[in-house]
Amino acid sequence: MNTVPYLVGIAGGSASGKTTIIKKLRDIFQDDITLISHDYYYWTHDDLSLEERAKLNYDHPQSFETSKLIEDLIALKQGHAVDVPIYDFTLHTRKKETLRIESKPVILVEGILILENADLRDLFDLKVFVDTDADERLLRRIVRDTQERGRSLESVLNQYITTVKPMHEEFVAPSKKYADVIIPRGGKNAPAVKMLIEYINTMLQSQEQGL
């Protein structure tokens, strides 16, 4: 029997621990779960130089092609596979290739602003906000962006001060009020993560029983 996928939105500030929680969920549910990141949908900026692209505000809602994400999630919920963009964080633009995503019983959608957009958040069956202290998020961001994304410490700090922090305060933090579940301290909060796993497992069992 075909079942409608269960959509789980996982929001929270940059480097709040969303990826850690998602990894734990994927380890548990394996083939029953797939992931789409809002970050995949950053607009293409091939018309700009690398230096110009590096100066753009990537933490504003208009930085994303959210309408395309909504379109893809609707298709996945109908059981169709989709081809999603691939974003290159070292070049600040999309790659030419796309990524094939198959519809699965559980679809995780993660991003800093996925609860900010009403049309997007209304698609989610469960809305989660990962809430982590600002100082810890900054330290994690420094490590991630310098080691994984080829950024200098100076550029990371400048971006944080000029766009990440003010956009978090204006758009990300206020979206927390739309969450069904708030997880303080991110992936370190083992009891909260366990409860989330149990809840998703219950939803999967309901799907299988056609409830």
Side-chain angles (χ1 to χ4, degrees), residues 82-145:
V82 296
D83 295 310
V84 306
I86 301 174
Y87 194 79
D88 189 330
F89 287 94
T90 61
L91 298 177
H92 301 287
T93 194
R94 289 182 188 176
K95 294 184 178 182
K96 303 301 181 185
E97 313 88 68
T98 57
L99 176 66
R100 187 76 166 175
I101 299 286
E102 302 289 340
S103 184
K104 297 288 185 70
V106 176
I107 298 169
L108 299 180
V109 185
E110 72 87 21
I112 62 174
L113 290 167
I114 60 169
L115 299 186
E116 184 274 337
N117 183 289
D119 292 333
L120 178 56
R121 68 173 177 261
D122 285 348
L123 291 176
F124 300 132
D125 299 293
L126 178 66
K127 299 178 287 292
V128 179
F129 191 95
V130 184
D131 199 13
T132 303
D133 180 77
D135 290 340
E136 186 169 353
R137 286 190 288 105
L138 174 57
L139 290 173
R140 290 178 183 174
R141 186 181 176 95
I142 289 171
V143 172
R144 182 195 67 192
D145 286 5

Side-chain angles (χ1 to χ4, degrees), residues 30-75:
Q30 299 185 14
D31 290 342
D32 283 334
I33 207 164
T34 193
L35 170 68
I36 288 187
S37 174
H38 201 186
D39 286 359
Y40 296 167
Y41 295 82
Y42 276 123
W43 290 102
T44 300
H45 295 292
D46 292 338
D47 56 322
L48 301 177
S49 68
L50 178 58
E51 184 179 357
E52 290 171 325
R53 294 197 296 265
K55 295 178 181 178
L56 295 174
N57 181 353
Y58 291 95
D59 292 81
H60 191 281
Q62 294 180 357
S63 300
F64 303 89
E65 190 182 2
T66 301
S67 60
K68 169 64 173 168
L69 172 58
I70 291 171
E71 178 184 309
D72 287 346
L73 290 178
I74 290 173

